[in-house]
Amino acid sequence: MIAAMSPLKKWLLIALGGLVVVPPLGLAAWAWLALHVTYASGERAGFVQKISRKGWVCKTWEGELAMASLPGAMPQIFAFTVRDHGVAREIEQEAGRKVALSYEQHRGLPGSCFGETEYFVTGVRRVVDDPPAPSPKR
């Protein structure tokens, strides 16, 4: 059937096929690259004040870590996303305690279906503060 078509019709069919196939493939490649190439990674310590599973269609774990540099100072809020359900459960168990969250930053993600933030938590550990130094005896 295609062999019996005129060269113009063949070209239009190929162009239409390219317009239908190439954009979804490009979007898939962009999403894969953004999810697998880490822009930055690190660790932040503070108190988990919120973690919840959110979303209408794409359910993601979203949370907030309150970080205070000095006691009594206004805390800075670090918003994060968790992709691993096991890590999200660990964070839930540590809510209210001082923890250190390991994270990776993935910039340029298409849409919010992968998470509301670009910071993806990959691990959690409880932080045990050193006890205060004893006062000198006189």
Side-chain angles (χ1 to χ4, degrees):
M1 172 160 171
I2 293 180
M5 296 175 115
S6 70
L8 180 61
K9 286 185 181 179
K10 284 182 189 178
W11 185 85
L12 288 174
L13 186 63
I14 291 170
L16 181 62
L19 288 174
V20 171
V21 173
V22 171
L25 287 177
L27 185 63
W30 175 23
W32 185 89
L33 193 64
L35 285 171
H36 289 86
V37 175
T38 302
Y39 176 74
S41 62
E43 193 172 81
R44 297 204 181 182
F47 295 90
V48 175
Q49 66 179 27
K50 178 175 96 169
I51 184 160
S52 60
R53 191 153 162 81
K54 298 170 66 171
W56 292 104
V57 176
C58 302
K59 297 283 190 186
T60 60
W61 286 97
E62 305 296 329
E64 291 181 353
L65 183 75
M67 303 179 302
S69 57
L70 297 172
M74 187 73 162
Q76 180 182 1
I77 302 300
F78 172 63
F80 61 88
T81 299
V82 184
R83 294 176 61 197
D84 184 337
H85 294 288
V87 173
R89 296 285 180 225
E90 287 181 50
I91 294 171
E92 278 184 322
Q93 291 172 354
E94 299 295 334
R97 296 184 181 106
K98 189 169 186 179
V99 295
L101 300 179
S102 300
Y103 71 91
E104 294 178 347
Q105 184 180 8
H106 295 274
R107 299 190 68 169
L109 288 170
S112 62
C113 213
F114 299 103
E116 292 182 2
T117 73
E118 57 187 34
Y119 298 100
F120 293 93
V121 171
T122 57
V124 60
R125 68 177 173 80
R126 187 182 302 182
V127 174
V128 180
D129 287 330
D130 293 331
S135 59
K137 294 183 181 180
R138 293 184 184 200

Coordinates of all heavy atoms in Angstrom, one line a residue, residues 27-108:
L27 N 10.1 13.5 25.7 CA 9.7 13.7 27.0 C 10.1 12.6 27.9 O 10.6 12.8 29.1 CB 8.2 13.9 27.1 CG 7.6 14.3 28.4 CD1 8.1 15.6 28.9 CD2 6.1 14.3 28.4
A28 N 10.0 11.4 27.5 CA 10.5 10.2 28.3 C 12.0 10.3 28.5 O 12.4 10.0 29.6 CB 10.1 8.9 27.6
A29 N 12.7 10.6 27.5 CA 14.2 10.7 27.6 C 14.5 11.8 28.6 O 15.4 11.7 29.5 CB 14.8 11.0 26.3
W30 N 13.9 13.0 28.5 CA 14.1 14.1 29.5 C 13.8 13.7 30.9 O 14.6 13.9 31.8 CB 13.2 15.3 29.0 CG 13.3 16.5 29.9 CD1 14.2 16.8 30.8 CD2 12.3 17.5 30.0 NE1 13.9 18.0 31.5 CE2 12.7 18.4 31.0 CE3 11.0 17.7 29.4 CZ2 11.9 19.5 31.3 CZ3 10.3 18.8 29.7 CH2 10.7 19.7 30.7
A31 N 12.7 13.0 31.1 CA 12.3 12.6 32.5 C 13.3 11.6 33.0 O 13.7 11.7 34.2 CB 10.9 12.0 32.5
W32 N 13.7 10.6 32.2 CA 14.7 9.6 32.6 C 16.0 10.3 33.0 O 16.6 10.0 34.0 CB 14.9 8.6 31.5 CG 15.8 7.5 32.0 CD1 15.4 6.3 32.6 CD2 17.2 7.5 31.9 NE1 16.5 5.6 32.8 CE2 17.7 6.2 32.4 CE3 18.2 8.3 31.4 CZ2 19.0 5.9 32.5 CZ3 19.5 8.0 31.4 CH2 19.9 6.8 32.0
L33 N 16.4 11.2 32.2 CA 17.7 11.9 32.4 C 17.6 12.7 33.7 O 18.5 12.7 34.5 CB 18.1 12.8 31.2 CG 19.5 13.3 31.2 CD1 20.5 12.2 31.0 CD2 19.6 14.3 30.0
A34 N 16.5 13.5 33.9 CA 16.4 14.3 35.1 C 16.3 13.5 36.4 O 16.8 13.9 37.4 CB 15.1 15.2 35.0
L35 N 15.7 12.3 36.3 CA 15.6 11.4 37.5 C 16.9 10.6 37.8 O 17.1 10.2 38.9 CB 14.5 10.4 37.3 CG 13.1 11.0 37.5 CD1 12.0 10.0 37.1 CD2 12.8 11.4 38.9
H36 N 17.7 10.4 36.8 CA 18.9 9.6 37.0 C 20.2 10.4 37.1 O 21.3 9.8 37.4 CB 19.0 8.5 35.9 CG 18.0 7.5 36.1 ND1 16.7 7.6 35.5 CD2 18.0 6.3 36.7 CE1 16.0 6.5 35.9 NE2 16.7 5.7 36.6
V37 N 20.2 11.7 36.8 CA 21.4 12.5 36.9 C 21.2 13.4 38.1 O 20.3 14.2 38.1 CB 21.7 13.3 35.6 CG1 22.8 14.3 35.8 CG2 21.9 12.4 34.4
T38 N 22.1 13.3 39.1 CA 22.0 14.1 40.3 C 22.7 15.4 40.1 O 23.9 15.4 39.8 CB 22.6 13.3 41.5 OG1 21.9 12.1 41.6 CG2 22.5 14.1 42.7
Y39 N 22.0 16.5 40.4 CA 22.6 17.9 40.3 C 23.4 18.1 41.5 O 24.5 18.6 41.4 CB 21.5 18.9 40.1 CG 22.0 20.3 40.1 CD1 22.6 20.9 39.0 CD2 21.8 21.1 41.3 CE1 23.1 22.2 39.1 CE2 22.3 22.4 41.3 CZ 22.9 22.9 40.2 OH 23.4 24.2 40.2
A40 N 22.9 17.7 42.7 CA 23.6 17.9 44.0 C 23.1 16.9 44.9 O 22.0 16.3 44.8 CB 23.3 19.3 44.5
S41 N 23.9 16.6 45.9 CA 23.5 15.7 47.0 C 24.1 16.2 48.3 O 25.1 16.9 48.3 CB 24.0 14.3 46.7 OG 25.4 14.2 46.6
G42 N 23.5 15.8 49.4 CA 24.0 16.2 50.7 C 23.2 15.7 51.8 O 22.4 14.7 51.7
E43 N 23.3 16.4 52.9 CA 22.6 15.9 54.1 C 22.1 17.2 54.9 O 22.8 18.2 55.0 CB 23.5 15.1 55.0 CG 22.9 14.3 56.1 CD 23.8 13.4 56.8 OE1 24.6 13.8 57.6 OE2 23.8 12.2 56.4
R44 N 20.9 17.1 55.4 CA 20.4 18.2 56.2 C 19.8 17.6 57.5 O 19.2 16.6 57.5 CB 19.3 19.0 55.5 CG 19.8 19.6 54.2 CD 19.0 20.8 53.8 NE 19.5 21.3 52.6 CZ 19.0 22.4 52.0 NH1 18.0 23.0 52.5 NH2 19.6 22.9 50.9
A45 N 20.1 18.3 58.6 CA 19.6 17.9 59.9 C 18.6 18.8 60.5 O 18.6 20.0 60.3 CB 20.8 17.8 60.9
G46 N 17.7 18.2 61.2 CA 16.6 19.0 61.9 C 15.5 18.1 62.4 O 15.8 16.9 62.6
F47 N 14.4 18.7 62.6 CA 13.2 17.9 63.1 C 12.2 17.8 62.0 O 11.7 18.8 61.4 CB 12.6 18.7 64.3 CG 13.6 18.7 65.5 CD1 14.5 19.8 65.6 CD2 13.6 17.7 66.4 CE1 15.4 19.8 66.7 CE2 14.5 17.7 67.5 CZ 15.4 18.8 67.6
V48 N 11.8 16.6 61.7 CA 10.7 16.3 60.8 C 9.4 16.8 61.4 O 9.0 16.3 62.4 CB 10.6 14.8 60.4 CG1 9.4 14.6 59.5 CG2 11.9 14.4 59.7
Q49 N 8.8 17.8 60.8 CA 7.5 18.3 61.3 C 6.3 17.9 60.5 O 5.2 18.0 61.0 CB 7.6 19.8 61.5 CG 7.7 20.6 60.2 CD 7.7 22.1 60.4 OE1 8.1 22.5 61.5 NE2 7.2 22.9 59.5
K50 N 6.6 17.3 59.3 CA 5.4 16.9 58.5 C 5.9 15.9 57.4 O 7.0 16.1 56.8 CB 4.8 18.1 57.8 CG 3.6 17.7 56.9 CD 3.0 19.0 56.4 CE 3.5 19.3 55.0 NZ 2.8 20.3 54.3
I51 N 5.2 14.8 57.2 CA 5.3 13.9 56.1 C 4.0 13.3 55.8 O 3.3 12.9 56.7 CB 6.4 12.8 56.3 CG1 6.6 12.0 55.0 CG2 6.1 11.9 57.5 CD1 7.9 11.3 54.9
S52 N 3.6 13.4 54.5 CA 2.3 12.9 54.1 C 2.3 12.4 52.7 O 3.2 12.9 51.9 CB 1.2 14.0 54.3 OG 1.5 15.1 53.5
R53 N 1.4 11.5 52.3 CA 1.3 11.1 51.0 C 0.2 11.9 50.3 O -0.9 12.0 50.8 CB 0.9 9.6 51.0 CG 1.0 8.9 49.7 CD 1.2 7.4 49.9 NE 0.9 6.7 48.7 CZ 1.7 6.5 47.7 NH1 2.9 7.1 47.7 NH2 1.3 5.8 46.6
K54 N 0.6 12.6 49.2 CA -0.2 13.6 48.6 C -0.4 13.3 47.1 O 0.4 12.7 46.5 CB 0.3 15.0 48.7 CG 0.5 15.4 50.2 CD 1.3 16.7 50.3 CE 0.6 17.9 49.6 NZ 1.2 19.1 49.9
G55 N -1.4 13.9 46.5 CA -1.6 13.9 45.1 C -3.0 13.3 44.7 O -3.5 12.4 45.3
W56 N -3.5 13.8 43.6 CA -4.8 13.3 43.0 C -4.5 12.0 42.2 O -5.1 11.0 42.4 CB -5.5 14.3 42.1 CG -5.9 15.5 42.9 CD1 -5.4 16.8 42.9 CD2 -7.1 15.6 43.7 NE1 -6.1 17.6 43.7 CE2 -7.2 16.9 44.2 CE3 -8.1 14.7 44.1 CZ2 -8.2 17.4 45.0 CZ3 -9.1 15.2 44.9 CH2 -9.1 16.5 45.4
V57 N -3.6 12.1 41.3 CA -3.3 11.0 40.4 C -2.0 10.3 40.8 O -1.9 9.2 41.0 CB -3.4 11.4 38.9 CG1 -3.0 10.2 38.0 CG2 -4.7 11.9 38.5
C58 N -1.0 11.2 40.8 CA 0.4 10.7 41.1 C 0.6 10.9 42.6 O 0.8 12.1 43.1 CB 1.4 11.5 40.4 SG 1.2 11.4 38.6
K59 N 0.5 9.9 43.4 CA 0.7 10.0 44.9 C 2.2 10.0 45.2 O 3.0 9.1 44.7 CB 0.1 8.7 45.6 CG -1.4 8.6 45.4 CD -2.0 9.6 46.3 CE -3.5 9.3 46.3 NZ -4.2 10.3 47.1
T60 N 2.7 11.0 45.9 CA 4.1 11.1 46.3 C 4.1 11.4 47.8 O 3.2 12.0 48.4 CB 4.8 12.3 45.6 OG1 4.1 13.5 45.8 CG2 4.8 12.0 44.1
W61 N 5.2 11.1 48.4 CA 5.5 11.4 49.8 C 6.1 12.8 49.9 O 7.2 13.0 49.3 CB 6.4 10.4 50.5 CG 5.7 9.1 50.8 CD1 5.8 8.0 50.0 CD2 4.9 8.7 51.9 NE1 5.1 7.0 50.6 CE2 4.5 7.4 51.7 CE3 4.5 9.4 53.0 CZ2 3.7 6.8 52.7 CZ3 3.7 8.8 53.9 CH2 3.3 7.5 53.8
E62 N 5.5 13.7 50.6 CA 6.1 15.1 50.7 C 6.2 15.4 52.2 O 5.4 15.0 53.0 CB 5.1 16.1 50.1 CG 4.7 15.8 48.7 CD 5.9 15.9 47.7 OE1 6.8 16.7 47.9 OE2 5.9 15.2 46.7
G63 N 7.3 16.1 52.5 CA 7.6 16.4 53.9 C 8.3 17.7 54.1 O 8.7 18.4 53.2
E64 N 8.4 18.1 55.4 CA 9.1 19.3 55.8 C 10.0 19.0 57.0 O 9.7 18.3 57.9 CB 8.1 20.4 56.2 CG 7.3 20.9 55.1 CD 6.4 22.0 55.5 OE1 6.2 22.3 56.7 OE2 5.8 22.6 54.6
L65 N 11.2 19.5 56.9 CA 12.2 19.4 58.0 C 12.5 20.8 58.5 O 12.8 21.7 57.7 CB 13.5 18.8 57.4 CG 14.7 18.5 58.4 CD1 14.3 17.3 59.2 CD2 16.0 18.3 57.6
A66 N 12.3 21.0 59.8 CA 12.6 22.3 60.4 C 14.1 22.3 60.9 O 14.4 21.5 61.7 CB 11.7 22.5 61.6
M67 N 14.9 23.2 60.3 CA 16.3 23.3 60.7 C 16.5 24.6 61.4 O 16.2 25.7 60.9 CB 17.1 23.3 59.4 CG 16.9 22.1 58.5 SD 17.9 22.1 57.0 CE 17.4 23.6 56.3
A68 N 17.1 24.5 62.6 CA 17.4 25.7 63.4 C 18.9 25.7 63.7 O 19.5 24.7 64.1 CB 16.7 25.7 64.7
S69 N 19.6 26.8 63.4 CA 21.1 26.8 63.6 C 21.4 27.1 65.0 O 22.4 26.6 65.5 CB 21.7 27.9 62.7 OG 21.1 29.2 62.9
L70 N 20.6 27.8 65.7 CA 20.8 28.1 67.1 C 19.5 27.9 67.9 O 18.4 28.2 67.4 CB 21.2 29.6 67.3 CG 22.5 30.0 66.7 CD1 22.7 31.5 66.8 CD2 23.7 29.3 67.4
P71 N 19.6 27.5 69.1 CA 18.3 27.3 69.9 C 17.6 28.7 70.1 O 18.2 29.7 70.3 CB 18.8 26.8 71.3 CG 20.2 26.2 71.0 CD 20.7 27.0 69.9
G72 N 16.3 28.6 69.8 CA 15.5 29.9 69.9 C 15.5 30.6 68.6 O 14.7 31.6 68.5
A73 N 16.3 30.3 67.6 CA 16.2 31.0 66.3 C 15.1 30.4 65.5 O 14.6 29.3 65.7 CB 17.6 30.7 65.6
M74 N 14.6 31.3 64.6 CA 13.5 30.9 63.7 C 14.0 29.8 62.8 O 15.0 29.9 62.1 CB 13.1 32.1 62.9 CG 11.9 31.9 62.0 SD 10.5 31.9 63.1 CE 9.2 32.2 62.0
P75 N 13.3 28.7 62.7 CA 13.8 27.5 61.9 C 13.6 27.8 60.4 O 12.7 28.5 60.0 CB 12.9 26.4 62.3 CG 11.7 27.0 62.9 CD 12.1 28.3 63.4
Q76 N 14.5 27.3 59.6 CA 14.4 27.3 58.2 C 13.7 26.0 57.8 O 14.0 24.9 58.3 CB 15.8 27.4 57.5 CG 15.7 27.4 56.0 CD 17.1 27.5 55.4 OE1 18.1 27.5 56.1 NE2 17.1 27.5 54.1
I77 N 12.8 26.1 56.9 CA 12.0 24.9 56.5 C 12.6 24.3 55.2 O 12.8 25.0 54.2 CB 10.5 25.2 56.2 CG1 9.9 25.8 57.5 CG2 9.7 24.0 55.8 CD1 10.0 24.9 58.7
F78 N 12.9 23.0 55.2 CA 13.4 22.3 54.0 C 12.3 21.4 53.6 O 12.0 20.4 54.2 CB 14.7 21.5 54.4 CG 15.2 20.6 53.4 CD1 15.7 21.1 52.2 CD2 15.3 19.2 53.6 CE1 16.2 20.2 51.2 CE2 15.8 18.4 52.6 CZ 16.2 18.8 51.4
A79 N 11.7 21.7 52.4 CA 10.7 20.8 51.8 C 11.3 19.7 51.0 O 12.3 20.0 50.3 CB 9.8 21.7 51.0
F80 N 10.8 18.5 51.1 CA 11.4 17.4 50.4 C 10.4 16.4 49.9 O 9.2 16.4 50.4 CB 12.5 16.7 51.3 CG 11.9 16.1 52.6 CD1 11.3 14.8 52.6 CD2 11.9 16.8 53.8 CE1 10.8 14.3 53.8 CE2 11.3 16.3 54.9 CZ 10.8 15.0 54.9
T81 N 10.8 15.5 49.0 CA 10.0 14.5 48.5 C 10.7 13.2 48.7 O 11.9 13.1 48.7 CB 9.9 14.7 46.9 OG1 9.2 15.9 46.7 CG2 9.0 13.5 46.3
V82 N 9.9 12.1 49.0 CA 10.5 10.8 49.2 C 9.9 9.8 48.2 O 8.7 9.8 48.1 CB 10.2 10.3 50.6 CG1 10.8 8.9 50.9 CG2 10.6 11.2 51.7
R83 N 10.7 9.2 47.4 CA 10.2 8.2 46.4 C 10.1 6.8 46.9 O 9.3 6.0 46.4 CB 11.1 8.3 45.1 CG 11.1 9.6 44.4 CD 12.0 9.7 43.3 NE 11.7 8.7 42.3 CZ 12.6 8.4 41.3 NH1 13.8 8.9 41.3 NH2 12.2 7.5 40.4
D84 N 10.9 6.4 47.9 CA 10.9 5.1 48.4 C 10.0 5.0 49.6 O 10.2 5.7 50.6 CB 12.4 4.8 48.8 CG 12.6 3.3 49.3 OD1 11.6 2.7 49.7 OD2 13.7 2.9 49.2
H85 N 9.0 4.1 49.5 CA 8.1 3.9 50.6 C 8.7 3.5 51.9 O 8.3 3.9 53.0 CB 7.0 2.9 50.3 CG 6.1 3.3 49.1 ND1 5.2 4.3 49.3 CD2 6.1 2.9 47.8 CE1 4.6 4.5 48.1 NE2 5.1 3.7 47.2
G86 N 9.8 2.7 51.9 CA 10.5 2.2 53.0 C 11.1 3.4 53.8 O 11.1 3.5 55.0
V87 N 11.8 4.3 53.0 CA 12.4 5.5 53.6 C 11.3 6.4 54.2 O 11.5 6.9 55.3 CB 13.2 6.2 52.6 CG1 13.8 7.6 53.1 CG2 14.4 5.4 52.1
A88 N 10.2 6.5 53.5 CA 9.1 7.3 54.1 C 8.6 6.8 55.4 O 8.3 7.5 56.3 CB 7.9 7.4 53.0
R89 N 8.5 5.5 55.5 CA 8.0 4.8 56.8 C 9.1 5.1 57.9 O 8.7 5.4 59.0 CB 7.8 3.3 56.6 CG 6.7 3.0 55.6 CD 5.4 3.2 56.3 NE 4.4 2.8 55.3 CZ 3.3 3.5 55.0 NH1 3.1 4.7 55.7 NH2 2.4 3.2 54.1
E90 N 10.4 5.0 57.6 CA 11.4 5.3 58.6 C 11.3 6.8 59.0 O 11.4 7.1 60.2 CB 12.8 5.1 58.0 CG 13.2 3.7 57.8 CD 14.6 3.6 57.2 OE1 15.5 4.2 57.7 OE2 14.8 2.9 56.2
I91 N 11.0 7.7 58.1 CA 10.9 9.1 58.5 C 9.7 9.3 59.4 O 9.7 10.1 60.3 CB 10.8 10.0 57.2 CG1 12.2 10.0 56.5 CG2 10.5 11.4 57.6 CD1 12.2 10.6 55.1
E92 N 8.6 8.6 59.0 CA 7.4 8.7 59.9 C 7.7 8.3 61.3 O 7.2 8.9 62.3 CB 6.3 7.8 59.3 CG 5.5 8.4 58.2 CD 4.3 7.6 57.7 OE1 4.5 6.3 57.7 OE2 3.3 8.1 57.4
Q93 N 8.5 7.2 61.5 CA 8.8 6.7 62.8 C 9.7 7.6 63.6 O 9.7 7.7 64.8 CB 9.5 5.3 62.7 CG 8.5 4.2 62.2 CD 9.3 2.9 61.9 OE1 10.5 2.9 61.9 NE2 8.5 1.9 61.5
E94 N 10.5 8.5 62.9 CA 11.4 9.4 63.5 C 10.8 10.8 63.6 O 11.5 11.7 64.1 CB 12.7 9.5 62.7 CG 13.5 8.2 62.7 CD 13.9 7.7 64.0 OE1 14.1 8.5 65.0 OE2 14.1 6.5 64.2
A95 N 9.5 11.0 63.3 CA 8.9 12.3 63.4 C 9.0 12.8 64.8 O 8.7 12.1 65.8 CB 7.4 12.2 62.9
G96 N 9.4 14.1 64.9 CA 9.5 14.7 66.2 C 10.9 14.6 66.8 O 11.2 15.3 67.8
R97 N 11.7 13.8 66.3 CA 13.1 13.6 66.8 C 14.1 14.3 65.8 O 13.7 14.5 64.6 CB 13.4 12.1 66.8 CG 12.6 11.3 67.8 CD 13.1 9.9 67.9 NE 12.3 9.1 68.8 CZ 11.4 8.2 68.4 NH1 11.2 8.0 67.2 NH2 10.7 7.6 69.3
K98 N 15.3 14.6 66.3 CA 16.3 15.2 65.4 C 16.8 14.1 64.5 O 17.3 13.1 65.0 CB 17.4 15.8 66.3 CG 18.3 16.7 65.4 CD 19.2 17.5 66.2 CE 20.0 18.4 65.3 NZ 20.9 19.3 66.1
V99 N 16.8 14.4 63.2 CA 17.3 13.4 62.2 C 18.2 14.1 61.2 O 18.1 15.3 61.1 CB 16.1 12.7 61.5 CG1 15.3 11.9 62.5 CG2 15.3 13.7 60.8
A100 N 18.9 13.3 60.5 CA 19.7 13.8 59.3 C 19.1 13.1 58.1 O 19.0 11.9 58.1 CB 21.2 13.5 59.5
L101 N 18.7 13.9 57.1 CA 18.2 13.3 55.9 C 19.2 13.5 54.8 O 19.7 14.5 54.5 CB 16.9 14.1 55.5 CG 15.8 14.1 56.5 CD1 14.6 14.9 55.9 CD2 15.3 12.7 56.8
S102 N 19.5 12.3 54.2 CA 20.4 12.3 53.0 C 19.5 12.6 51.8 O 18.4 12.0 51.7 CB 21.1 11.0 52.8 OG 21.9 10.7 54.0
Y103 N 19.9 13.4 50.9 CA 19.1 13.8 49.7 C 19.9 14.0 48.5 O 21.1 14.1 48.5 CB 18.3 15.1 50.0 CG 19.2 16.3 50.0 CD1 19.4 17.1 48.9 CD2 19.8 16.7 51.2 CE1 20.2 18.2 48.9 CE2 20.6 17.9 51.2 CZ 20.8 18.6 50.0 OH 21.6 19.7 50.0
E104 N 19.2 13.9 47.4 CA 19.7 14.2 46.0 C 18.8 15.2 45.4 O 17.6 15.2 45.5 CB 19.7 12.9 45.2 CG 20.7 11.9 45.6 CD 20.6 10.6 44.7 OE1 19.7 10.5 43.9 OE2 21.5 9.8 44.9
Q105 N 19.4 16.2 44.7 CA 18.7 17.2 44.0 C 18.6 16.9 42.6 O 19.7 16.7 41.9 CB 19.3 18.6 44.3 CG 18.5 19.7 43.6 CD 19.2 21.1 43.9 OE1 20.3 21.2 44.4 NE2 18.5 22.1 43.5
H106 N 17.4 16.8 42.0 CA 17.2 16.6 40.6 C 16.5 17.8 40.0 O 15.3 18.0 40.3 CB 16.4 15.3 40.4 CG 17.1 14.1 40.9 ND1 18.0 13.4 40.1 CD2 17.1 13.4 42.1 CE1 18.5 12.3 40.8 NE2 18.0 12.4 42.0
R107 N 17.2 18.5 39.2 CA 16.6 19.7 38.6 C 16.0 19.4 37.3 O 16.4 18.5 36.6 CB 17.7 20.8 38.5 CG 18.3 21.2 39.8 CD 19.1 22.3 39.8 NE 18.3 23.5 39.5 CZ 18.7 24.7 39.5 NH1 19.9 25.0 39.9 NH2 17.9 25.7 39.2
G108 N 15.0 20.2 36.9 CA 14.4 20.1 35.5 C 13.4 19.0 35.3 O 13.2 18.6 34.2

